[in-house]
Amino acid sequence: MQIVIVSGRLTDRRRAALVELVAAEGVPVFVDAGELEALAEGDRPGAVVVDGSVAAPSSAVLTRLQGWVERGTTVVAISPTSATGPAGGWSDLLGANAQPPVPAGEVFARISDSDEDLVARIDPEFAVVDVFRPLNPVAAIARPVLHVTYRFVSQVAVVVSDVGLGRVTVSGLGGTDQALATPALAAVLRRALRAGAPPSGHRRPLGIGVVGYGPYGGMGFVHGTAATAVPGLDLVATCDSDPDRRKAAEHDFPGIRVHDTVEELAGDDNVDVAVVATPPSAHVSVVSTLLGAGKHVACEKPLCFTVADADRLFALAADNDRVLTVNQSRRWDRDFRALRAAVDDGLLGEVFNVETFVGGFDHPCRAWHSDSTVSGGMVYDWGSHHVDWILQLLGSVPDQVTATGHKRVWHDVTNLDQLRVRMHWDDGREAEFVASDVAAVRRPKFYVQGTSGTLVGHYQALAFESVDPARGYVRTDAHHAEAPAALTLARYTSGHGVADAAVPLAPDMPFAFHRNLADHLLLGEPLAVVSQSARQVVAVLEAATRSASEGSEPVRLR
C-alpha cells in the first residue's frame, strides 16, 4: 500500500529512520506540508504519517482526510509538537494534544491494555531514549495504549482511536531517530499503520516439529527448549532415524510425538512449522519435502551449498505460500549486536574493512562437521555466521571473492585445516574471514575499521571450575566462541590522538530467532532472516569454495 509521510523535521537520517519503520508495510511517499492540499485530490492512500511539527492544512483537506480514515486509511502521528495541537487544526482528527516535552533521557514505556492488538506479544515494559511528549486525549474514543511514568506521575504516551474502517494513532514517543529504532516502539507504530481486523495473535500456538533431533543436548534440544519458552510456539513432534535419539527427545520433552522419517512428520497435521536440524547435505531434500507438505520451515545454517538450490527452495516456498527462513542465530549475539549498534550510530565513521576470525590449534571434531561431503567444508560451518555478520555490517554482497585453503596437519578429516576468505567491493571496501584449526595464537574475533575509529573484539576464555570429592579440582573449558567477545572502540580526535573505551555488550535476547518467527507468523511482523539475505550468504560461501578449489582464483559475484 502507499504510505504518505509528511514530516516537519526531515533530515537524511530522519528519512532513513522513517523508511526503515514503514518499509515492511508499504511504499513510502514523502510530501511536504504544502503538498497536502494537492494530495487530498488524489487517490486514497493506505496510511498517512504525520511526523513532528507540521502546519495543518485547510479545514476542507482535514475533512477529506477524515473521510479517508472512515473508509480505511490509517493515520499515525509521531511525537507531534504544538503546531499539531488545537491552534494548528489537527486536534479533531488526531483526538489528542501533545504537551511540552520532558528533557531528553531514558524513560520506560509500559502497556496500558494488554488486549490491544497494537501491543500483542510485546514486553509489558521497555526502555526508550527519547524526548518524550506526554499526550492529553481529547476525543472520547481515544484509548491509551502505552503510558510513561515520569517523576512518579503516569503520563499517556500512545493513544489510538477507531474511526469507521480506519484508525488514528498518536505517539508522544519516537521524536528521535534512536527512539524510532527501538524494537518494541517500532512494532507498535508499524502495526498502527495497518487497518482492518486485528492480526490473529490469539490463535492456538504454532505446532513445532524438529527434524533431526540429534544427540543429547544437541540442536534438537535447543529448538525444543526455545519452542517451550517462546509464547505462541508449542513443541509437538520430532523425527530422527536413530532410536536412541528419539528416546532422548521423549526424555527431554515428555509427551512429544516421535517419528521415524521426514515423511511421517510432514504428514503430522499438528505441525505448523518444521525446524530442520539435520546435517547440511540433507537440507535440500528435507526442506523440499516439508514445503511440499505445506509446512513453514526454519532451517539450520547453511541452508544449502549453492545459489541454484537456494533459488529453487525459495521458489518452492513462494509457490506453496509458506515461510522459509534460516537460523542465523548469531545475529542476536550480545557482542555482535553491540558492534552493529556502534556502526549504525556512526561511532566508527564510514566502515571500509571488516575482519573476523574463529579457531585455534586443536584437533578438529571427528563428527560430520569435519566431513566436507556432509558439512560442505570448513567455510559452510562457522562461515555461515561470520559471512552473515560481514554482510550485515557492510550492507551488500561483495563484487569479488577470493579464498585460500591449507591442508597440512589434520589428514584424518576431510575439511581444510585453514581457510581465508577475502571479499572486495568495487568501491574499495573489503572484508576477510579466517577459520583455522592450526592457529596457536588466536586473532581477534572482530576487527572493524572506519574513517573515525576501529573496533576490536577479543575472545574471552569461558571455564567452569569445581572441586569434586573424588577427583579434586576440575576445570571444564567451553568452546572459545561461546563467550561474547570483549569489545574496545578506539577513536581519533584531532589534537589529542587516539583514545579507547570499552563497549558494553548488548542486552541478552534469548531465543530471539524463534520469537521473531512466531511474531511474523502470528502477527505479520517483519521476518528477520529473509530470502535475500540467506541467498547472499550462500552466494559468498559457494564462491569461496570455488575459489579455494581453483587455486585462489577470484570469483565475481556481480
Side-chain angles (χ1 to χ4, degrees), residues 100-107 130-132 150-151:
V102 305
E106 183 179 56
V107 296
D130 201 2
V131 179
F132 169 53
Y150 185 74
R151 294 188 176 181

Side-chain angles (χ1 to χ4, degrees), residues 80 96-102 131-137 148 150 154-158 171-173:
N97 296 329
Q99 305 303 307
V102 305
V131 179
F132 169 53
R133 292 181 176 275
L135 301 179
N136 177 32
V148 165
Y150 185 74
S154 181
Q155 306 273 10
V156 177
V158 176
S171 174
L173 295 167

Side-chain angles (χ1 to χ4, degrees), residues 176-222:
T176 66
D177 302 338
Q178 181 181 5
L180 208 58
T182 302
L185 179 62
V188 172
L189 298 178
R190 191 166 50 242
R191 294 173 189 176
L193 294 169
R194 308 169 190 167
S200 55
H202 300 291
R203 56 164 288 184
R204 69 171 179 84
L206 295 163
I208 302 296
V210 178
V211 180
Y213 187 79
Y216 290 94
M219 289 308 300
F221 179 77
V222 171

Side-chain angles (χ1 to χ4, degrees), residues 45 57 86 110 112 133 144 149 171 228 244 249 298 337 340 378 381-382 386 437 457 493 512 517 540:
R110 71 177 191 280
S112 308
R133 292 181 176 275
T149 298
S171 174
T228 59
D244 289 337
R337 286 173 40 239
R340 186 170 184 183
M378 174 176 274
D381 193 9
W382 277 103
H386 285 246
D437 288 320
T493 303
L517 180 60
V540 174

Side-chain angles (χ1 to χ4, degrees), residues 283-532:
H283 284 178
V284 172
S285 63
V286 172
V287 171
S288 298
T289 297
L290 294 166
L291 289 173
K295 308 300 183 187
H296 299 293
V297 177
C299 185
E300 271 300 321
K301 58 81 190 171
L303 173 63
C304 53
F305 299 150
T306 68
V307 171
D309 280 339
D311 288 342
R312 281 192 289 269
L313 292 176
F314 284 117
L316 182 60
D319 289 344
N320 287 277
D321 194 25
R322 297 293 89 181
V323 168
L324 171 59
T325 187
V326 180
N327 184 26
Q328 295 288 175
S329 59
R330 296 278 174 176
R331 288 189 188 182
W332 290 275
D333 281 2
R334 299 179 66 193
D335 50 5
F336 176 71
R337 286 173 40 239
L339 187 164
R340 186 170 184 183
V343 170
D344 291 345
D345 289 343
L347 299 182
L348 280 75
E350 181 185 356
V351 173
F352 61 87
N353 180 46
V354 179
E355 301 173 22
T356 71
F357 171 84
V358 65
F361 205 123
D362 197 4
H363 197 292
C365 79
R366 290 173 288 163
W368 62 260
H369 293 272
S370 296
D371 184 351
S372 60
T373 63
V374 179
S375 67
M378 174 176 274
V379 71
Y380 282 96
D381 193 9
W382 277 103
S384 296
H385 290 307
H386 285 246
V387 169
D388 185 62
W389 283 337
I390 289 169
L391 300 187
Q392 293 294 304
L393 291 173
L394 293 178
S396 62
V397 293
D399 296 282
Q400 180 175 289
V401 176
T402 307
T404 303
H406 293 273
K407 187 65 176 175
R408 299 176 180 272
V409 179
W410 311 117
H411 299 289
D412 62 320
V413 299
T414 55
N415 274 6
L416 293 170
D417 295 343
Q418 178 170 297
L419 185 73
R420 182 188 309 272
V421 181
R422 296 283 301 164
M423 290 157 266
H424 299 268
W425 281 256
D426 286 347
D427 60 8
R429 291 177 298 158
E430 58 184 335
E432 178 181 83
F433 162 60
V434 176
S436 178
D437 288 320
V438 290
V441 177
R442 287 193 180 102
R443 298 171 62 179
K445 180 178 181 179
F446 301 113
Y447 184 80
V448 182
Q449 291 177 279
T451 54
S452 299
T454 301
L455 193 152
V456 63
H458 290 285
Y459 282 109
Q460 300 184 89
L462 180 62
F464 304 92
E465 300 176 298
S466 63
V467 176
D468 184 271
R471 301 168 57 197
Y473 171 77
V474 177
R475 174 186 168 110
T476 302
D477 292 287
H479 190 278
H480 69 279
E482 291 306 321
L487 303 177
T488 301
L489 174 62
R491 287 169 52 89
Y492 172 78
T493 303
S494 179
H496 295 276
V498 174
D500 58 51
V503 177
L505 297 173
D508 190 24
M509 294 180 66
F511 308 124
F513 170 81
H514 300 82
R515 178 166 181 169
N516 170 258
L517 180 60
D519 288 346
H520 176 70
L521 292 174
L522 294 172
L523 297 176
E525 289 296 297
L527 190 64
V529 185
V530 297
S531 59
Q532 181 183 12

Side-chain angles (χ1 to χ4, degrees), residues 230-286:
V230 174
L233 301 181
D234 182 22
L235 181 67
V236 297
T238 187
C239 81
D240 201 297
S241 59
D242 188 327
D244 289 337
R245 293 176 176 179
R246 294 197 295 273
K247 289 180 182 178
E250 292 175 315
H251 174 270
D252 294 336
F253 302 99
I256 191 175
R257 289 189 300 282
V258 295
H259 300 289
D260 296 350
T261 66
V262 175
E263 288 74 17
E264 285 185 10
L265 186 137
D268 190 331
D269 291 337
N270 291 309
V271 174
D272 301 298
V273 182
V275 178
V276 177
T278 66
S281 58
H283 284 178
V284 172
S285 63
V286 172

Side-chain angles (χ1 to χ4, degrees), residues 44-45 62-75 92-93 141 161-168 195-196:
R44 179 176 65 86
L62 285 170
T63 300
R64 183 72 179 270
L65 290 173
Q66 181 85 17
W68 281 353
V69 175
E70 291 174 353
R71 299 200 307 276
T73 294
T74 58
V75 173
D92 289 342
L93 177 65
I141 59 174
S161 305
D162 294 322
V163 181
L165 298 177
R167 64 180 165 191
V168 177

